Amino acid sequence: MTHWFHRNPLKATAPVSFNYYGVVTGPSASKICNDLRSSRVRLLELFTDLSCNPEMMKNAADSYFSLLQGFINSLDESTQESKLRYIQNFKWTDTLQGQVPSAQQDAVFELISMGFNVALWYTKYASRLAGKEKRRLCASALFFKYIDHIPKLITPAEKGRDLESRLIEAYVIQCQAEAQEVTIARAIELKHAPGLIAALAYETANFYQKADHTLSSLEPAYSAKWRKYLHLKMCFYTAYAYCYHGQTLLASDKCGEAIRSLQEAEKLYAKAEALCKEYGETKGPGPTVKPSGHLFFRKLGNLVKNTLEKCQRENGFIYFQKIPTEAPQLELKANYGLVEPVPFEFPPTSAQWTPETLAAFDLTKRPKDDSTKPKPEEEVKPVKEPDIKPQKDTGCYIS
């Protein structure tokens, strides 16, 4: 659900008119410019439309990206880029650094910035729905990962901004971790073996730890809140792993080790609760979610408590085993149930692009712009995202 996953804000962008007076010399070129403008506006509108579904988003994104490809790739699929690549200036804000926009006169910058926003939309959509939306999170992971046009930028991605490798990698790993959470919830609901659930939880905790480590060298003013969320989720799922590992140990008559495993789960759960409070008090981008108020979170606390008490009772009546001073080492590997990202590719260039259409853009007639003169139409207004109210928490699913 929405209030279980932390989400950074959508990127904002300046309007783009695609008006090239003098350059456009034919009706086919004029139509492409009009279609680019309208498809871009439509896609931006869908980002904040609560009625939008994945099919609508894919159709709108494909429509815009297929047209934009004509500004990037040559029509004969050679290595030569389109002559229109640098005709338009694009401005985009950043998910962490707020409303200070970056601008590049490069259609590749537009492609990957808009693609980044589409990936963010999928994560936000998945967070509002039930566990079946694991696929959307996997798709988002690949969308972030396959923005392989970033190295093609003439101006390299700025440090600490969205298109920089550390940020891309953190988003990819977080999507994988959250898709894995859905798998864990399903496994618990279907009463799979505790050993499998423990292994899945341990793998998920490692995902969150890796994402947190990826952000560790970023400026704390921008990354502290996000990192606090990643850290609390890492503690939470490590507690899950120790809890279910304890059940496995008890089933193998290793009651003393089971108690120590449950004690470790209890300690980590308490740490996750404390981190939830710290996360709520940390300033940073994105609305503050409340994982500790979620039934899925609270259920683990009760499960750890009840399982520990059961182990202690059985040890006092049956096993009389010594409790180890050190927590058991978790060397768990899930044999199945791990999520796999869904393949993603940008759509091919629109059939509207023909050699004749491209020839109807005459760059020799392009007026010399005064780049120092401010352009009001390029103002970047913040994205007003809808306020999502928490849904009734059944505890069945977590995404």
Side-chain angles (χ1 to χ4, degrees):
M1 289 184 180
T2 299
H3 289 254
W4 176 258
F5 295 135
H6 173 85
R7 291 289 176 260
N8 290 326
L10 288 164
K11 295 163 72 69
T13 183
V16 180
S17 66
F18 294 101
N19 287 329
Y20 308 116
Y21 301 110
V23 173
V24 173
T25 62
S28 60
S30 179
K31 183 178 188 310
I32 276 189
C33 290
N34 290 334
D35 290 348
L36 273 165
R37 180 170 57 253
S38 60
S39 62
R40 188 179 197 264
V41 168
R42 173 59 176 160
L43 182 53
L44 292 173
E45 289 174 345
L46 287 180
F47 288 143
T48 56
D49 184 350
L50 283 178
S51 67
C52 179
N53 59 43
E55 183 180 3
M56 293 167 62
M57 177 56 64
K58 184 181 187 308
N59 290 339
D62 284 355
S63 174
Y64 180 59
F65 289 145
S66 66
L67 289 167
L68 189 64
Q69 296 281 12
F71 275 46
I72 298 171
N73 303 318
S74 60
L75 297 184
D76 58 4
E77 297 184 355
S78 70
T79 56
Q80 184 180 358
E81 64 191 22
S82 170
K83 68 178 184 180
L84 303 175
R85 177 173 170 179
Y86 307 105
I87 195 174
Q88 177 68 54
N89 188 58
F90 299 95
K91 284 186 180 180
W92 284 90
T93 61
D94 190 76
T95 58
L96 292 187
Q97 298 190 29
Q99 299 307 312
V100 180
S102 295
Q104 291 197 36
Q105 192 151 325
D106 188 347
V108 171
F109 180 66
E110 167 74 355
L111 180 77
I112 57 184
S113 297
M114 188 69 83
F116 194 102
N117 242 23
V118 172
L120 275 179
W121 180 88
Y122 274 112
T123 70
K124 290 170 183 280
Y125 179 82
S127 73
R128 300 199 302 265
L129 300 182
K132 63 182 179 181
E133 289 309 311
K134 168 176 73 175
R135 181 178 177 86
R136 307 301 171 197
L137 290 161
C138 292
S140 299
L142 255 291
F143 217 131
F144 285 123
K145 195 170 185 177
Y146 275 64
I147 302 180
D148 55 358
H149 290 68
I150 292 175
K152 300 177 184 177
L153 288 169
I154 298 300
T155 304
E158 299 174 58
K159 294 290 184 182
R161 286 187 171 265
D162 287 337
L163 306 185
E164 203 236 321
S165 59
R166 290 174 296 178
L167 270 295
I168 294 289
E169 184 66 13
Y171 275 113
V172 169
I173 299 168
Q174 180 176 331
C175 287
Q176 290 176 296
E178 291 177 346
Q180 194 96 329
E181 287 191 62
V182 177
T183 300
I184 294 170
R186 291 287 197 188
I188 293 169
E189 183 187 12
L190 297 173
K191 302 187 186 306
H192 282 300
L196 174 62
I197 296 172
L200 289 171
Y202 185 57
E203 300 263 12
T204 304
N206 287 339
F207 272 133
Y208 278 116
Q209 185 178 43
K210 185 179 178 182
D212 176 55
H213 179 73
T214 303
L215 296 174
S216 61
S217 57
L218 287 179
E219 175 60 46
Y222 305 131
S223 63
K225 183 176 181 179
W226 191 6
R227 289 193 64 200
K228 194 72 71 174
Y229 162 79
L230 297 171
H231 194 191
L232 77 85
K233 282 295 188 74
M234 185 269 289
C235 286
F236 177 75
Y237 279 102
T238 307
Y240 242 113
Y242 273 110
C243 178
Y244 278 88
H245 185 54
Q247 293 183 25
T248 303
L249 290 169
L250 180 60
S252 302
D253 295 325
K254 298 177 181 179
C255 194
E257 293 180 46
I259 290 173
R260 186 63 188 87
S261 188
L262 268 297
Q263 288 174 339
E264 193 68 14
E266 189 175 52
K267 183 176 74 174
L268 285 162
Y269 182 79
K271 185 176 180 181
E273 283 187 309
L275 284 167
C276 283
K277 186 173 185 296
E278 291 176 24
Y279 164 77
E281 295 170 350
T282 303
K283 294 184 178 180
T288 301
V289 296
K290 298 178 180 179
S292 60
H294 203 287
L295 183 57
F296 190 77
F297 192 100
R298 300 196 305 272
K299 273 187 171 182
L300 176 60
N302 292 330
L303 181 63
V304 170
K305 178 177 179 293
N306 294 337
T307 309
L308 177 57
E309 289 176 353
K310 177 185 176 182
C311 290
Q312 290 170 332
R313 282 196 307 271
E314 295 200 10
N315 200 45
F317 284 107
I318 304 171
Y319 295 102
F320 307 105
Q321 293 177 3
K322 185 178 178 180
I323 301 169
T325 56
E326 296 293 327
Q329 291 293 314
L330 292 179
E331 297 179 355
L332 306 171
K333 188 73 177 177
N335 295 321
Y336 62 93
L338 298 176
V339 298
E340 291 293 335
V342 178
F344 166 80
E345 292 182 358
F346 282 109
T349 304
S350 169
Q352 287 183 241
W353 284 103
T354 64
E356 293 73 25
T357 300
L358 187 61
F361 288 87
D362 187 351
L363 296 183
T364 64
K365 298 180 179 178
R366 186 179 181 188
K368 292 185 178 181
D369 295 326
D370 180 5
S371 59
T372 62
K373 184 182 291 187
K375 299 178 180 179
E377 70 274 12
E378 291 187 358
E379 179 186 358
V380 181
K381 296 181 179 180
V383 177
K384 185 172 177 56
E385 298 189 44
D387 182 21
I388 309 297
K389 302 299 181 185
Q391 301 172 28
K392 185 178 180 181
D393 182 5
T394 65
C396 295
Y397 306 119
I398 58 171
S399 74

